[in-house]
Amino acid sequence: MLGFRVRRQALRHRRAPHRIPSNRHLPTPSMEDYLNDCILKALDAMGGAPDGFFLEFEQPANPDHGDLSCNAAMQLARHFRKSPRMIAEDIVGHLESLPLDASRISAIEVAGPGFLNFRFADAHLSDQLQQIIDAGESFGKTTTGSGKKALVEFVSANPTGPLTVGHGRNAVLGDTIANLLEWTGYDVDREYYFNDAGRQMRVLGESVRGRYMAVVNPDLPTKEIGDEGHKTVVPEPFPEDGYLGDYIEDIARELSQSAGSDLDVDGDVDVFKKAAEKQIFADIEGTLKRLGIHMDSFFNERTLYDSNRVWEIIESFREKDLAYDKDNAVWFRTTQFGKEQDTVLVKSTGEPTYRLPDIGYHADKLDRGYDLCVDVFGADHIATFPDVLDGIRSLGYDADKVDVVIYQFVTLIRGGEPVKMSTRKATYVTLDELMDEVGDDVTRYFFLMRSSNTHLEFDLDLAKEASDKNPVFYLQYAHARICSILRKASETGLDVSGSANLSLLEHPAEQSLIKVMMDLPDAMDRAAASKEPHRISNYLRDVAVAFTQFYGNCRIIGEADELAKARLQLAGAARQILKNGLCVLGIGAPERM
RNA sequence: GCGCUUGUAGCUCAGUUGGAUAGAGCGUUGGAUUCCGGUUCCAAAGGUCGGGGGUUCGAAUCCUCCCAAGCGCGCCA
């Protein structure tokens, strides 16, 4: 049954690509592959499994159930017309007569309704630990995305003001997803998409001009705008729906210093718009840099018009009868894709809505040869991005290459109460202010600790607390503590770097620590495949917990030399795991705190 | 009204893509410990997984119908 194995691989590839064993970079075949082969041999001896059947393995949540578990007997109950437990016993019988490699598997049990539970041999654990140590800072990297190019588009805030807390979640999510893709082998680019030509930007220019006029002429009359209960005094020429943030005034003041007081305030607002854009972008880039984020490219929506791309798309839609004229506008037949209404692509003014350039932009990305395009959007885009996907699909592109990550909004909590924020009233909290208050690492971590599609409650009081109630502190502290142990050990004359007899690590706390550490590559693959960075922060907490338990149970300095050296290696490996994980999250791994 | 998302312990949230007795942190209660780095460890209590029905060996997870919350439903982006 040689073809069986091949078919299984193909099936797994199609149905669950993220479950492909990720540790192919390791020299020996993974435990899963090994057991897979063995069980298939056993099943062949029992008469063979049905077509299309493939084995599934999982790590039991309960350690009493062993290290790896297989549910084949239950799935094959109907096929063999026997009870799952009997099938399981048969498989075990055949496995024992193979026999299994005792240096890898120490025990097999049949448990519960018919699970096959495998327990790893100690030698396997020390072998794994050695591999972690050898791989060092590249442990956790996988080859899942090797040879593929990915583009992560995120932030993409139009340059109308400083980044806010909401943008922060977007920025940190996008950057970390990009990191995850890099760790899993992709060649990744980070891109920022913006539009500096629309109405928003015109209002921005007018807002700056209004402030500028007041700066150069202090006697300019003023007026009040805003909602009842939240009036703001602004210069007379200030637009009714203008931007009220203080930064507008700063830009106006700088403009008056650099360009003098004679700028033409009656003509085009372009001068003011340009000045604002330049300064705001500088501000945004500064904020991103502080978060450790570097964009590879900034994509201006305007280039899609310059290249005529958007009009070509309209023509292509017309040919397919997906676009038509009505009321002087061009409509997209979104009802064809299950929407309630058609949507406008080009307004009666001749100006496209954002949807059209968005389709063009995604087509452009795919033209650039990316195998995967990740978009990070706020929840307010939730209903609109399907139109874009339908659009590019209609143009003949593979929309499955586009993966949209939606995140829900962020609420800041201070003293147990939500902090009220409104962009319009300029009462929002900027990302810089948030980082000033709680620190850069904490900011990144808090944005990453929860699944992106649930509301995030950002507890400022907890974030500022430097105790183990604060999960970031707990992780960084574990790392710093290991560094301290390593320093101290080398002071007392222990050989920190040399090799050690790792088979001395027999304590349960040592073994469970090794088992958790072995999971890093798999955790990376899962987090990358699902675009869920919070899996890594949860994983790291498990590592830190396992380390703390080891630390509480096993002494290092003061033990017999050989054991001390082995434990030092283990501690050093745990430090490396924490460091690699924190690196993916973009958070510092301090050696001292 | 329609669409998407969410609903799990007192609170904030995980839950390995359908697995075994549903987990963690905080909070509460009780106990041990004071050591390589600020303490840490152990235990207890706490749950109709929003509710009903269905699918199967097996459901927090998939399907369906209700209930509730958030977001969106513009020739704004």
Side-chain angles (χ1 to χ4, degrees):
Chain A
M1 228 176 165
L2 194 62
F4 185 82
R5 173 86 213 250
V6 175
R7 187 156 55 240
R8 167 199 164 255
Q9 289 291 359
L11 257 174
R12 289 185 63 149
H13 194 74
R14 197 176 72 243
R15 294 178 51 171
H18 54 283
R19 294 201 61 175
I20 289 173
S22 56
N23 35 2
R24 272 175 306 217
H25 59 292
L26 299 177
T28 46
S30 77
M31 189 63 96
E32 226 179 276
D33 280 347
Y34 172 71
L35 287 175
N36 186 69
D37 284 350
C38 295
I39 296 173
L40 287 182
K41 278 179 197 157
L43 289 175
D44 277 351
M46 291 163 62
D51 269 5
F53 178 77
F54 64 96
L55 293 168
E56 290 173 10
F57 292 94
E58 64 164 13
Q59 288 174 35
N62 183 344
D64 292 343
H65 298 148
D67 298 313
L68 205 57
S69 153
C70 181
N71 62 358
M74 277 114 80
Q75 294 186 307
L76 291 169
R78 185 169 289 175
H79 175 72
F80 284 121
R81 294 167 179 277
K82 278 195 206 171
S83 82
R85 284 200 70 106
M86 283 174 71
I87 297 168
E89 298 290 353
D90 282 354
I91 295 174
V92 171
H94 283 96
L95 288 176
E96 279 168 351
S97 65
L98 273 176
L100 286 179
D101 182 352
S103 72
R104 306 193 75 166
I105 296 294
S106 65
I108 321 172
E109 290 148 27
V110 176
F115 288 102
L116 289 168
N117 292 341
F118 299 92
R119 219 165 282 273
F120 299 162
D122 290 353
H124 176 252
L125 288 184
S126 48
D127 183 50
Q128 291 288 308
L129 176 57
Q130 190 59 54
Q131 290 180 21
I132 293 171
I133 293 165
D134 293 344
E137 62 185 21
S138 67
F139 185 74
K141 292 195 170 153
T142 77
T143 55
T144 311
S146 290
K148 291 188 214 160
K149 284 174 65 187
L151 180 75
V152 182
E153 180 227 322
F154 61 113
V155 189
S156 296
N158 286 341
T160 57
L163 295 181
T164 63
V165 168
H167 296 123
R169 191 174 195 188
N170 186 319
V172 172
L173 260 176
D175 186 55
T176 308
I177 288 168
N179 286 346
L180 278 168
L181 292 173
E182 281 169 347
W183 274 72
T184 51
Y186 285 89
D187 179 10
V188 181
D189 290 320
R190 294 166 170 78
E191 188 160 277
Y192 189 122
Y193 176 75
F194 71 101
N195 168 20
D196 59 0
R199 199 191 77 91
Q200 278 183 13
M201 290 300 290
R202 196 173 60 242
V203 173
L204 175 75
E206 287 165 3
S207 304
V208 171
R209 183 173 60 188
R211 293 290 188 189
Y212 170 84
M213 289 166 73
V215 168
V216 298
N217 175 13
D219 300 328
L220 200 70
T222 59
K223 64 178 176 184
E224 279 193 345
I225 61 169
D227 306 330
E228 203 57 49
H230 204 284
K231 296 278 189 193
T232 309
V233 178
V234 295
E236 184 56 40
F238 195 87
E240 285 295 320
D241 54 353
Y243 289 86
L244 293 171
D246 292 338
Y247 63 97
I248 299 290
E249 215 166 334
D250 297 341
I251 293 167
R253 203 166 287 120
E254 285 201 20
L255 196 56
S256 78
Q257 278 164 16
S258 61
S261 55
D262 304 325
L263 289 174
D264 176 16
V265 295
D266 299 317
D268 198 75
V269 291
D270 219 48
V271 186
F272 300 95
K273 202 169 87 175
K274 280 274 154 51
E277 178 176 342
K278 191 177 165 205
Q279 199 149 329
I280 289 169
F281 254 136
D283 181 72
I284 287 174
E285 284 190 78
T287 306
L288 291 177
K289 190 174 178 189
R290 217 176 140 184
L291 279 168
I293 297 172
H294 171 78
M295 292 288 174
D296 296 298
S297 48
F298 287 78
F299 191 103
N300 191 334
E301 182 185 316
R302 189 168 33 193
T303 59
L304 296 165
Y305 304 105
D306 296 347
S307 69
N308 232 18
R309 174 135 218 164
V310 293
W311 311 120
E312 290 164 13
I313 290 172
I314 294 281
E315 283 319 304
S316 172
F317 282 170
R318 279 191 206 279
E319 283 167 22
K320 298 179 172 76
D321 193 33
L322 288 169
Y324 63 92
D325 294 309
K326 193 181 91 183
D327 303 334
N328 251 336
V330 183
W331 294 73
F332 189 25
R333 222 181 273 284
T334 34
T335 45
Q336 192 108 358
F337 309 114
K339 283 284 173 105
E340 269 202 354
Q341 292 169 1
D342 290 340
T343 44
V344 170
L345 288 174
V346 184
K347 301 184 239 176
S348 51
T349 58
E351 244 180 319
T353 63
Y354 75 99
R355 230 170 284 250
L356 180 57
D358 244 25
I359 293 169
Y361 175 47
H362 282 81
D364 183 90
K365 290 191 214 181
L366 293 169
D367 282 344
R368 282 187 266 161
Y370 289 105
D371 302 288
L372 173 66
C373 296
V374 179
D375 297 346
V376 184
F377 290 150
D380 50 346
H381 282 70
I382 203 155
T384 60
F385 77 81
D387 294 347
V388 174
L389 297 186
D390 288 331
I392 59 168
R393 198 176 287 118
S394 306
L395 293 170
Y397 290 94
D398 181 0
D400 292 342
K401 288 181 176 173
V402 179
D403 202 337
V404 178
V405 174
I406 296 284
Y407 64 93
Q408 302 290 329
F409 293 122
V410 181
T411 312
L412 293 180
I413 304 287
R414 191 195 300 279
E417 294 291 321
V419 179
K420 291 222 166 66
M421 281 191 282
S422 152
T423 313
R424 163 124 188 76
K425 295 172 185 168
T427 56
Y428 51 81
V429 176
T430 70
L431 192 47
D432 277 324
E433 288 163 353
L434 180 65
M435 286 190 279
D436 289 342
E437 187 165 346
V438 305
D440 308 353
D441 283 344
V442 174
T443 299
R444 274 196 76 117
Y445 188 88
F446 270 62
F447 282 135
L448 293 171
M449 64 197 256
R450 302 290 181 227
S451 160
S452 66
N453 54 15
T454 62
H455 275 262
L456 179 66
E457 297 213 352
F458 196 122
D459 188 329
L460 289 165
D461 303 311
L462 178 60
K464 278 188 284 190
E465 200 170 324
S467 78
D468 62 357
K469 283 185 201 171
N470 181 338
V472 202
F473 181 85
Y474 185 71
L475 294 182
Q476 292 186 323
Y477 184 76
H479 181 268
R481 181 194 268 166
I482 299 172
C483 291
S484 160
I485 294 169
L486 295 175
R487 277 194 301 272
K488 191 146 193 162
S490 84
E491 282 165 19
T492 58
L494 273 172
D495 181 9
V496 178
S497 56
S499 63
N501 180 5
L502 301 178
S503 64
L504 295 172
L505 302 172
E506 292 179 317
H507 193 281
E510 295 168 332
Q511 302 205 332
S512 55
L513 176 56
I514 296 171
K515 285 173 190 169
V516 177
M517 297 198 301
M518 282 161 50
D519 281 342
L520 181 64
D522 219 41
M524 291 285 193
D525 268 340
R526 284 187 222 276
S530 60
K531 320 286 179 300
E532 292 178 331
H534 75 277
R535 287 167 183 260
I536 299 297
S537 45
N538 288 335
Y539 168 77
L540 289 178
R541 196 212 44 213
D542 291 345
V543 174
V545 167
F547 173 76
T548 309
Q549 277 167 359
F550 156 70
Y551 174 81
N553 282 294
C554 306
R555 290 196 60 84
I556 298 174
I557 296 162
E559 290 290 346
D561 233 38
E562 283 305 301
L563 182 59
K565 274 164 67 178
R567 285 182 174 167
L568 268 183
Q569 294 286 310
L570 177 58
R575 185 194 77 96
Q576 190 71 61
I577 298 283
L578 289 170
K579 191 175 180 183
N580 293 1
L582 287 169
C583 173
V584 168
L585 300 183
I587 294 168
E591 299 194 359
R592 289 189 168 83
M593 290 177 74

